[in-house]
C-alpha cells in the first residue's frame, strides 16, 4: 500500500511539473503571435498576454489531462453494469475548487488593472484635460539594447486631428502638416489628440496603444517608439460610412532622419492630400451618406 501511495504521489508530482513546464513554454510562444514590439509600452501588454496564455494553457491541459486519465484508468470494465460508489460530497473539495477560481479571477483583474494604469489609457471624461500619469516608466518596458530617453518631458509634441475620414498630423516645431505620422525613435512623444466631428480612436497595433479621441476635448497621450520601420494607424471606433479608409502610415525613424524629414517637408508648399474616402464618395451613385471632410492641406502627403 505504501509503495502504491508513493507511486501515486510521484506520478502526480511528475504530471504537475510537466504541466507547468508545458504551460510556461506555450506562454512564451505567445510573444511570436503578436506584431513586433515597436513601442516601449508594448512590452507591458505582451507580458500580460503571455501570462493569460500560460494560465489558460495550464487550466486547459490540466482539465483535459484529468479527463483523459479518468477515461483510460478509471472506466468501467467490459461487461460491468453495477452502479458506481455512492459519493455524497466533499465540503473541503468544494471549498477548494470554488476558492481557486475566485483567486485566479482576482489575480487576473489586479494584474490587468496594473497594466492599464501603467499604460495610462484615458477614457472619455467631460471637462478634463488628460495627461499621461507620471508613474509610467517606459525605460522599464523597453528592450535592454534600446537607449530610451527616460526624461519625463516629451522631446516631440505633435498635434493629431481626426475627422471623417482622415488623419492630420501637425508638427509645431517646423509648422509642418502631414497625412503620415513621423516619430523619432527612442524619444518620448506627446500627441495632442482632437476630433473634428465624431468619436474616433487612435490605434497602432505594433505599439499596443489605443486611445479614444472625444469631440470638443484635447487629450494628451504619451508613448516611446523604439523600433525603426513603417507601421499602420487605424481608427478603432466606427466613425461612419468610409470608416475602413481612415488609415495612415506611422514611420519610426532615427532622430537625425526625423529632423531631416521635418526640414525637407517645411520647404514644400501645402497641397491637398490624397483621400480615399473623398474619391469613393465622388464615385457613389444612387445612395446618400455623410459627405467626407475636404482633403487636408499638407506639406507632406505621404
Amino acid at each position: 500500500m505504501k509503495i502504491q501511495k508513493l507511486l501515486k504521489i510521484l506520478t502526480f508530482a511528475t504530471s504537475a511539473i510537466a504541466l507547468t513546464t508545458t504551460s510556461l513554454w506555450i506562454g512564451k510562444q505567445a510573444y511570436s503571435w503578436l506584431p513586433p514590439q515597436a513601442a516601449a509600452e508594448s512590452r507591458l501588454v505582451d507580458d500580460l498576454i503571455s501570462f493569460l496564455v500560460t494560465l489558460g494553457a495550464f487550466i486547459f491541459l490540466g482539465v483535459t489531462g484529468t479527463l483523459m486519465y479518468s477515461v483510460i484508468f478509471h472506466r468501467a470494465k467490459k461487461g460491468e453494469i453495477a452502479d458506481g460508489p455512492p459519493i455524497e460530497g466533499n465540503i473541503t473539495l468544494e471549498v477548494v475548487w470554488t476558492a481557486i477560481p475566485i483567486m485566479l479571477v482576482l489575480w487576473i483583474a489586479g494584474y490587468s488593472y496594473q497594466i492599464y494604469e501603467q499604460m495610462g489609457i484615458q477614457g472619455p471624461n467631460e471637462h478634463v484635460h488628460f495627461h499621461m500619469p507620471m508613474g509610467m516608466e517606459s525605460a522599464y518596458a523597453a528592450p535592454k539594447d534600446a537607449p530610451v530617453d527616460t526624461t519625463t518631458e516629451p522631446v516631440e509634441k505633435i498635434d493629431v486631428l481626426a475627422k471623417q475620414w482622415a488623419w492630420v498630423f501637425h508638427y509645431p516645431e517646423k509648422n509642418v502638416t502631414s497625412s503620415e505620422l513621423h516619430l523619432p525613435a527612442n524619444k518620448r512623444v506627446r500627441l495632442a489628440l482632437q476630433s473634428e466631428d465624431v468619436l474616433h480612436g487612435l490605434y497602432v497595433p505594433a505599439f499596443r496603444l489605443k486611445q479614444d479621441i472625444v469631440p470638443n476635448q484635447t487629450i494628451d497621450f504619451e508613448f516611446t517608439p523604439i523600433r525603426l520601420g513603417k507601421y499602420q494607424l487605424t481608427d478603432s471606433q466606427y466613425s461612419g460610412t468610409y470608416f475602413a479608409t481612415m488609415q495612415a502610415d506611422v514611420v519610426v525613424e532615427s532622430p537625425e532622419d526625423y529632423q531631416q524629414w521635418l526640414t525637407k517637408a517645411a520647404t514644400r508648399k501645402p497641397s491637398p492630400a490624397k483621400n480615399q474616402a473623398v474619391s469613393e464618395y465622388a464615385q457613389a451613385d444612387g445612395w446618400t451618406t455623410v459627405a467626407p471632410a475636404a482633403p487636408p492641406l499638407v506639406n507632406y502627403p505621404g
Side-chain angles (χ1 to χ4, degrees):
M1 292 295 293
K2 289 185 178 180
I3 295 178
Q4 281 187 334
K5 188 175 182 179
L6 182 59
L7 286 175
K8 287 182 179 180
I9 294 174
L10 289 175
T11 301
F12 178 79
T14 303
S15 301
I17 293 173
L19 175 61
T20 302
T21 303
T22 304
S23 300
L24 290 172
W25 179 81
I26 294 175
K28 291 292 184 182
Q29 306 312 304
Y31 288 103
S32 63
W33 305 342
L34 303 168
Q37 295 178 351
E41 293 76 9
S42 60
R43 181 73 183 183
L44 297 170
V45 177
D46 290 4
D47 288 344
L48 174 60
I49 292 177
S50 177
F51 165 75
L52 294 176
V53 170
T54 300
L55 190 58
F58 184 88
I59 295 173
F60 173 78
L61 295 176
V63 172
T64 304
T66 302
L67 290 174
M68 293 302 296
Y69 177 83
S70 300
V71 169
I72 295 173
F73 295 103
H74 294 284
R75 60 183 176 180
K77 295 179 181 179
K78 187 175 181 180
E80 185 177 350
I81 59 173
D83 292 337
I87 300 175
E88 294 291 335
N90 188 312
I91 299 298
T92 303
L93 182 60
E94 292 176 4
V95 170
V96 169
W97 74 33
T98 302
I100 290 178
I102 291 176
M103 297 303 296
L104 287 177
V105 169
L106 292 176
W107 187 12
I108 294 171
Y111 186 17
S112 301
Y113 184 76
Q114 179 185 2
I115 299 301
Y116 181 87
E117 285 287 295
Q118 288 179 291
M119 292 291 290
I121 306 300
Q122 309 295 345
N125 189 355
E126 216 171 338
H127 307 303
V128 176
H129 188 73
F130 297 96
H131 62 88
M132 173 69 77
M134 302 304 292
M136 174 60 196
E137 296 289 348
S138 61
Y140 296 158
K144 294 181 180 179
D145 57 350
V148 177
D149 186 350
T150 59
T151 57
T152 57
E153 183 65 22
V155 172
E156 189 65 23
K157 300 178 181 179
I158 303 171
D159 299 324
V160 179
L161 178 64
K163 60 182 180 178
Q164 295 172 307
W165 285 270
W167 294 99
V168 185
F169 309 102
H170 180 252
Y171 306 80
E173 179 184 347
K174 298 284 187 178
N175 194 26
V176 168
T177 302
S178 172
S179 58
E180 189 175 77
L181 179 59
H182 283 247
L183 302 171
N186 302 315
K187 299 292 183 181
R188 197 147 182 82
V189 175
R190 174 182 291 172
L191 303 183
L193 306 175
Q194 292 183 320
S195 171
E196 186 176 279
D197 35 53
V198 297
L199 183 68
H200 294 280
L202 181 139
Y203 177 47
V204 184
F207 293 171
R208 316 292 192 271
L209 296 174
K210 188 190 86 68
Q211 174 59 56
D212 292 342
I213 307 175
V214 184
N216 302 318
Q217 299 285 341
T218 297
I219 300 176
D220 290 341
F221 189 61
E222 297 181 20
F223 59 93
T224 307
I226 59 174
R227 182 186 175 101
L228 304 182
K230 181 179 288 188
Y231 308 99
Q232 196 70 24
L233 164 65
T234 63
D235 188 351
S236 62
Q237 303 288 349
Y238 179 72
S239 54
T241 308
Y242 300 102
F243 155 76
T245 68
M246 193 167 170
Q247 301 183 16
D249 290 331
V250 180
V251 179
V252 180
E253 52 200 347
S254 67
E256 294 77 19
D257 290 342
Y258 172 75
Q259 288 299 327
Q260 290 179 7
W261 173 82
L262 271 182
T263 302
K264 183 178 180 180
T267 62
R268 296 184 178 182
K269 184 178 179 180
S271 59
K274 180 181 178 181
N275 187 277
Q276 184 177 349
V278 172
S279 301
E280 292 186 11
Y281 179 78
Q283 298 173 8
D285 185 24
W287 55 283
T288 304
T289 184
V290 176
L297 295 176
V298 298
N299 301 88
Y300 188 84

